[in-house]
């Protein structure tokens, strides 16, 4: 029998339900438009699969994560709390009563330039990230809490005045990652940093994704940015979800292959899906967030 991607998803859901004697793990995504999927169909992707704590009907990257875990036979209760343009201090001041619960896993995504008023300065995320992760860590000392380091913005690299204008496209992602590494160093509750931006860079360097949307899309390559060259396209958010999936579950994103359901539903080609899965895997391995692959038989 040949299964379509949708039938494969339904089969995975059924098998997960039958095997679901263990309690589902809870995961919370805290972020802004880079988490809820602005400028793309990801914004309203499968909202019924997740719990939007703000009751705005958002699916976003958390819904892609949910679909990926279904297919892997894993059981996660996925929640999100998001607001556009916000940093950690806003969630602390305005949403703590909503998110202060004993989650098993938490993903914290902050402002895309680290600080809206002082782009590139991590001072604010260092302090507010520590405060937010400490609160959530006290609720569940065993919680696996991660920062997410986001991608280079094409608009700030190629078009608008910024600290990154005129520099290589990889620079902003590397600077954002360095800021989160500094924040992690003073945040005892943080397990690690999800290298989403560096996975984007890796996809560009591998020829999977186009590094400059302003000079025309190269044939055979995918555009990771949305129409504003700032937020992500469906492909960019898909790559973000793949990195999160691999880091949180320890599973190889390449295991989904060309028939992966979320990629199919979001309009990605099989070649694009597998190329992005490979980029996610290679970045996760480079960061030590996936275990060593098993040795070939006889070695």
């Amino acid at each position: 029998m040949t299964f379509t991607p949708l039938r494969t998803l339904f089969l995975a859901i059924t098998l997960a339900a039958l095997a679901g004697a263990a309690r589902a793990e809870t995961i919370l995504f805290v972020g802004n438009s880079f988490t809820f999927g602005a400028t793309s169909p990801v914004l309203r992707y499968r909202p019924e699969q997740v719990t939007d704590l703000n009751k705005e009907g958002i699916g976003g990257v958390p819904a892609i994560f949910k679909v990926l875990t279904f297919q892997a036979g894993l059981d996660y209760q996925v929640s999100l709390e998001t607001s556009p343009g916000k940093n950690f201090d806003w969630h602390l001041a305005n949403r703590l009563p909503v998110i202060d619960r004993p989650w098993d896993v938490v993903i914290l995504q902050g402002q895309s330039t680290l600080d809206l008023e002082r782009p590139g300065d991590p001072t604010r995320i260092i302090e507010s990230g520590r405060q937010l992760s400490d609160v959530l860590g006290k609720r569940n000392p065993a919680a696996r809490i991660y920062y997410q380091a986001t991608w280079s913005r094409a608009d700030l690299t190629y078009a608008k005045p910024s600290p990154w204008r005129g520099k290589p496209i990889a620079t902003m992602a590397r600077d954002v990652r360095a800021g989160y590494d500094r924040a992690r160093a003073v945040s005892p509750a943080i397990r690690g940093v999800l290298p989403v931006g560096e996975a984007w860079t890796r996809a560009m360097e591998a020829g999977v994704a186009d590094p400059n949307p302003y000079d025309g899309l190269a044939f055979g390559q995918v555009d990771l940015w949305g129409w504003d060259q700032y937020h992500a396209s469906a492909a960019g958010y898909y790559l973000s979800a793949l990195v999160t999936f691999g880091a949180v579950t320890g599973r190889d994103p390449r295991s989904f292959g060309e028939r992966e359901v979320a990629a199919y539903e979001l309009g990605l080609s099989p070649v694009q899906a597998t190329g992005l899965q490979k980029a996610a895997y290679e970045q996760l391995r480079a960061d030590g967030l996936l275990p060593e692959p098993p040795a070939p038989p006889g070695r």
Side-chain angles (χ1 to χ4, degrees), residues 52-76:
D52 179 357
L53 297 177
N54 293 332
K55 297 179 172 59
E56 296 171 332
I58 290 171
V61 173
I64 302 177
F65 174 87
K66 177 70 172 182
V67 170
L68 294 174
T69 56
F70 266 148
Q71 293 169 91
L74 303 173
D75 192 5
Y76 281 85

Side-chain angles (χ1 to χ4, degrees), residues 49-106:
Q49 300 287 338
V50 298
T51 300
D52 179 357
L53 297 177
N54 293 332
K55 297 179 172 59
E56 296 171 332
I58 290 171
V61 173
I64 302 177
F65 174 87
K66 177 70 172 182
V67 170
L68 294 174
T69 56
F70 266 148
Q71 293 169 91
L74 303 173
D75 192 5
Y76 281 85
Q77 292 180 356
V78 180
S79 299
L80 63 140
E81 187 280 297
T82 58
S83 185
K86 303 303 193 299
N87 220 341
F88 298 146
D89 50 359
W90 186 89
H91 298 282
L92 270 167
N94 296 278
R95 291 293 184 266
L96 204 54
V98 175
I99 63 177
D100 188 10
R101 305 180 192 176
W103 308 96
D104 295 313
V105 184
V106 180

Side-chain angles (χ1 to χ4, degrees), residues 180-264:
Y180 278 104
D181 284 340
R182 287 179 60 187
R184 181 193 179 189
V186 298
S187 303
I190 295 294
R191 174 73 62 93
V193 178
L194 304 185
V196 170
E198 289 159 299
W200 274 46
T201 301
R202 190 174 290 268
M204 296 173 205
E205 292 173 344
V208 173
D210 192 309
N212 186 354
Y214 289 97
D215 64 3
L217 183 63
F219 178 77
Q221 294 183 345
V222 67
D223 189 350
L224 294 176
W225 290 281
W227 54 262
D228 58 2
Q229 321 307 340
Y230 164 5
H231 295 90
S233 65
Y237 291 122
Y238 179 67
L239 181 50
S240 176
L242 288 169
V243 171
T244 303
F245 169 84
V248 170
T249 69
R251 304 286 186 95
D252 184 345
R254 300 174 303 172
S255 62
F256 293 112
E258 63 181 22
R259 295 182 180 273
E260 197 283 308
V261 170
Y264 174 83

Side-chain angles (χ1 to χ4, degrees), residues 164-180:
W164 301 283
R165 185 173 182 178
K167 296 181 179 180
I169 192 61
T171 305
M172 183 176 178
R174 190 164 53 242
D175 290 349
V176 170
R177 170 62 188 272
Y180 278 104

